[in-house]
Each structure stands twice: as C-alpha cells, then as structure tokens.
Amino acid sequence: MAYRMIHVLIIQLPVPHLDYGVQTGNIPLGAAYLKQAAAQVSRVEVDILPQSIASYLGDAALMDIISEHRPDIVGFTVYCWNLKRSLFLSKKLKESYMPQIVFGGPEITPDNPLIDSQYVDFLVYGEGEAVFLKLLQDQTLWEKGSAAEPAGAIFRDSPSPYLHNVLEPEIDNVMLLETQRGCPYRCGYCYYNKSHAGLTFADESHLIQAVKWALDHDVKELYLLDPSLNVRPGLKDLLKEISLINKSRRLEIISEIRAEAIDAQMADLFAAAGFSWFEIGLQSTNPQALEIMNRPTDTRRFAQGAQLIKERGIVPAVDLIIGLPGDDLQGFSHSVEFVARHNLYDDIQVFPLSVLPGTDFRLNSNKLGLQFDESPPYTLIESPVFSKEDMLLALDYAEVRFDVVMYPMPDLDVSWRHSGDPLKTSPPDIAVQIGKDRYIAKIQLDCERPIPELESLARRLAQPYQIFVHPRLRDPDFIKKALRILSAPNPFTPLEIIFLEPQGTPDTAALMPAVELRRPHFLDQDLRYLFPAEGNRAVLCSLVTQDATHRFTGNMERQIFWWKKNRFPESPDFAELYALDGILIDGAHSDVEIKIWQDRYANRAGDIPFISFADVFMQKRWLLLTAPDDYVAGVLNWVGCRR
Ligand code: SF4
C-alpha cells in the first residue's frame, strides 16, 4: 500500500511596517527548529514560507501562494503583532480547502481570549518541537485541541538550524542563535519565563559550530537569543573560545544580559569575543515598581556593569517601561534622570507597558487596576497612579531628556517612476521581484482604470504598498472605489496614498472610510503615541506639491515639496522648506548628477529635510546610503509593469 506524503507549511508573519523594504527581523527560527525536528519523521515534508515572501507580500498575494500549494497542515508562529492576520489567513484557508491549522508561539497562552477560533484546529502552548512531532504521527492528538510538552532535551541536542540550510541569513544578514531556553527570573510583565520550565542550555559544541558557520557565511550580525546570558554555566570559557574563532571581530555579536552580572573580566571577554551591543533592561529605578514586577535590581551595580561594557565599545541599550504598576510620572522621571546621569542613553528604548497574555501582570490586572487595550500589543491605557495624560507626558519627558524620537514617522519614499520617464499619460505601475514573481508596490491612479484591472492588482500587492493619485484624476468617488477594491482583499496590509499636485487639499477624512482595513490595525495600537489622539496609524497620506504653504498637517498626513527645478536644492532651499515634511527631487537630472549630489549629502542626511527621489533606483541608492542597516537591498528589486 502506498502512503501519501504529508505536506506541512509553517508561516511567520512580520511586524507590519509602512516602509517597503525595511528590515523586519522576521526570521522564522521557531519554524526552523520544528522542521529540523521533523526530519526524523517519515512521509512528512515540512516547508517554511521564505522570509522574503512572508515579510513583503500583501494578504491576498500570500493567500494565493498558500492555496496554490495546498499544504495538508499549515502552522503559524504567532506573536502579538501577527495574531489577527494569522487568524484571518486561517479563516480564508479553511474556506478555500480545509487544511489542518495549528498555532504556536509566544501569543498562544491559555488565558488569551483572542486565540479562540473555529478556524484553528490545534494550539501548542510553550515550546513546539515535542508536540509538533506527535501531531505529525498521531492523528488522534488533534482531537484534543491543545497540548503542552517540554522540548528541552530536543533543543539541547539540536545543532543550529542554519547549519542544515533551513534558514536564509542573507535577507537581513543576521543569524539568530538560541543558546538557552527558560529564564530563572520572574518579571511580572514577561511570558518567556513560563514558556519553558527550568533552564536548558544548548550544547556548547553546537554553539561553537554555529559561530564558525556564521563566520564562514559572512554573516554580519549574530544575535544570541538569550534573555539573560549571564546565567549560562561556563560562560567565561565559552567566550574565550568564541574570541579565538572571531579574532578579527568581523562577526558582531549582540545579546541581552542583566547588567549587574558584568564585572571587568566579563566585560573584557565580551569585547574580545566580538560583542558590540547588549540589551540591558532596567525598566525602572523605582523600588516599589521593581518589587511589584518581581525584578530586584541593584541600581548601583547596574550602572557599573553598563559602564564597563560601554568603556569597551559595546553599546548598552537600556530599556525603560512607562506605566509599571507601583510607578508614577515622578518615579518614571527619576528613572530617566538615572539613565541620563550615568550617560547610558546611547540606544535608549522607552516602551509603554504591554499587559501581555500569560504574564503575572495580565493575571493580576484587576487587582493592580491596569486598564489596557484589548487588542495587541495590549498597551496600558492607565493605572491607578499613571493617568492617560501621564503616559503621554512621560514619553515627552523621555524624548526631550534623551533628545530622541521614540515614535518617528515612516521614512520618506515617494519615488514613483523610472529614470527618464517623466510625468506622462500612463506611467507604469512599479513592481518588485520577490522570488520568481512580481508584486506591485506602487500603483498609478492617473485615470479611471478599469475595475477588473484594479481587482487583479489587488491580488498581487506587496506589503506595504503605495497608491499614487495623479493630477489628472479628480473624481473622489473613483478614488474611493479604487481604495475599496485594493484594500478589501488586503485588510491587514498597510498603505500610503500619495496625492501628486491635486486640486485643493485632499479630504482624507472623507476617503478613509473607503479603506477596508480591519480596525484596530496593529499599527493603530502600536503607534498610538505617534499622535495624542487615537485612530488610524496604518494608512499614511502624503501630499506632493510645488506649493510651499504648509497646509496638510492632520494625523498621518505629511506634505512634501515637489522639486522640479533643474538645479538641486541647497542649504538656503532647505532653510526655506524646513517647515514641510520633505522634498521630492524630480528635476531633469541625469543619474550621474543625482549620484554626485547624493554622495555629497548622504552623511548629512540627518541635518537636512527628508529627501526622496522620483526615480525608484535613485531612491533605493539613497536609502541604502543613508540607512544601510535598515533596508534589505535584495527586496528593493524594482521593475516596471507596462499597462
Ligand atoms: S524579562 Fe527577561 S529576565 Fe525577566 S523573566 Fe523575562 S526573560 Fe527573564
């Protein structure tokens, strides 16, 4: 009797962004461990949706790819940022051909009401490998609906999945390495410590092998996924070994650590091994807040440890949390002053508290009086001593004191044409090549395009995508119709609408109801502090005009000066246009002239207005020159699409 092969596809959807081509960090390491573990099961083939496809495609395009392959089992790695989108795709897949669907990942906890769905057959709590192996071999387990089983032994003895080419590091040129599972601490806001009972450390020989692999494959950055690297037994010996392999320090290593654990010898060893950055959570210096979150911290030793690594050229990235139970505005400002006084804000990160499922804070939220958003990322709205206004004031205080913007607007990219392709009647849509196929990233609405054409485009959209409304298209009803057709099959895909020299000021409030995004979108919640009033954060509107009077100033609106002169803007022009949100350079310049200007200004980009270039290739060059660590060159593969 011939047995049929079972085909499994594992999908990990990214944090949504409004900048196309930005690094998403969406590396499906959990899926890779599952695939590696399943290699021992016969008649099962596990695929992972490639990162470039999972991260840069709109909902409809993703849906079509998955249904075309019709895997028997579809697994989703679920985080707070992709939960609702994963549920949406599950529903669509069930409607399409009824695969078996399994959810796992940090968002899957018994106390999370949002995961209760008729479209998900099975929930895996905590680590995935052991339960996944059973699901592949025992059909009756599916009937139970959920399971949890430790996988420490499998993890300890598994080499890094990169060694078996299960993951592609080339997208971000970053490699993730899990060196330990579990955490001995019990911080009230964190779920990680509950996802694995006790501590399991990966075999040292596997870690050394992985570091060698990273060096052999020219990986730029190795991220040791350790919540607290300091608790690893024999850490100093491991660091000595790594420093011998990474003598040149060509491989940059980054990780997380409790700063109090760092002494001078340890700091020397980190530097010698090639460490360049450490996330060190301080969260608060308020003794009451530290006690309630069960995170005892010796602030004097914390500062000492952070200074020791900083003196050795390792960036200490300190985290602070706004709205912790037991903390108030004054307590938070003391924490800010502590970090400022010790000059530890090189890469400061300030977050509002997220009351995550599975955490002690979620369990005790009533007792603690925490009011939080019901939608991910479950941001604290207010606590008994931290009012809504205090949350905003705290963020303002930190931004001013550290001279940083914690919630920046998306980068400026309003490029819309290919070189030598001036404004003409039918400019081509602009696509990107991802894998074998092309996906539309920039749609031209220069006339009333046929409805079937728009419907076809809607199924091939990149994530995010842009709609350029040209001067010739004036009918607001057609614009609304187009927005509806494009967004309805893509209810989780963020977008930007760019109005090129319209008559009058676009009425975005009238257009917005035509955009059929599922609200609240993750970005609506996650970027709530971008503006004081709540509302849309997933649709950006940009006005590109030669009128320098600043008039497009609402939330999620920005006004760009359309620079069509035959010379480039220089310092006096920047001063004149500084009140606007940027400049689109769209004159009759040759590529050589543009490159010379870009090279002159690239290292001063932070001191001049935001700049974009009309030509997509020149724009790509500018992004890679000015933000090389933020963008993925490999997915900025522009191609024109003739209509
Ligand atoms: S926040 Fe970090 S140190 Fe605290 S329990 Fe979670 S993983 Fe451990």
Side-chain angles (χ1 to χ4, degrees), residues 182-193 227-228 256 258 283 295:
C183 177
Y185 306 107
R186 292 285 174 270
C187 307
Y189 55 86
C190 175
Y191 168 68
Y192 182 78
N193 56 49
S228 39
E256 296 170 34
R258 294 295 298 256
Q283 321 312 7
R295 193 178 163 96

Side-chain angles (χ1 to χ4, degrees), residues 381-430:
I381 298 168
E382 59 183 350
S383 76
V385 284
F386 235 114
S387 68
K388 269 185 188 173
E389 295 70 30
D390 287 347
M391 296 291 289
L392 279 166
L393 288 171
L395 185 70
D396 279 352
Y397 187 86
E399 288 192 325
V400 171
R401 190 67 178 88
F402 298 135
D403 192 22
V404 288
V405 179
M406 297 293 172
Y407 290 87
M409 281 288 269
D411 291 341
L412 181 63
D413 173 0
V414 285
S415 59
W416 63 277
R417 63 175 171 83
H418 284 153
S419 177
D421 213 5
L423 185 58
K424 56 187 187 181
T425 30
S426 288
D429 297 320
I430 308 278

Side-chain angles (χ1 to χ4, degrees), residues 41 78 157 251 272 299 314 347 370 386 389 458 537 574 606 614:
V41 184
V78 188
D157 300 330
L251 179 65
T299 51
I314 302 171
D347 191 5
L370 306 179
F386 235 114
E389 295 70 30
R537 307 286 190 273
F574 299 148

Side-chain angles (χ1 to χ4, degrees), residues 59-163:
D59 306 322
L62 267 181
M63 177 61 207
D64 289 350
I65 284 190
I66 304 165
S67 341
E68 192 186 313
H69 289 93
R70 294 175 77 88
D72 304 292
I73 299 173
V74 183
F76 286 88
T77 307
V78 188
Y79 294 88
C80 67
W81 54 81
N82 64 26
L83 169 63
K84 290 191 175 181
R85 195 171 177 223
S86 302
L87 286 167
F88 166 78
L89 286 183
S90 301
K91 177 173 185 283
K92 287 277 168 197
L93 289 169
K94 283 285 190 191
E95 287 167 357
S96 165
Y97 73 95
M98 289 299 282
Q100 286 183 295
I101 293 185
V102 51
F103 273 24
E107 188 71 1
I108 307 307
T109 63
D111 66 344
N112 187 349
L114 300 185
I115 58 178
D116 187 15
S117 162
Q118 58 178 302
Y119 306 107
V120 180
D121 300 293
F122 203 88
L123 301 171
V124 181
Y125 300 124
E127 296 165 277
E129 292 92 335
V131 178
F132 184 62
L133 286 179
K134 286 191 175 156
L135 278 178
L136 295 179
Q137 298 171 94
D138 177 5
Q139 215 19 255
T140 60
L141 181 60
W142 287 88
E143 285 154 28
K144 294 206 165 107
S146 66
E149 188 174 327
I154 301 177
F155 164 69
R156 191 188 52 234
D157 300 330
S158 298
S160 159
Y162 286 90
L163 272 60

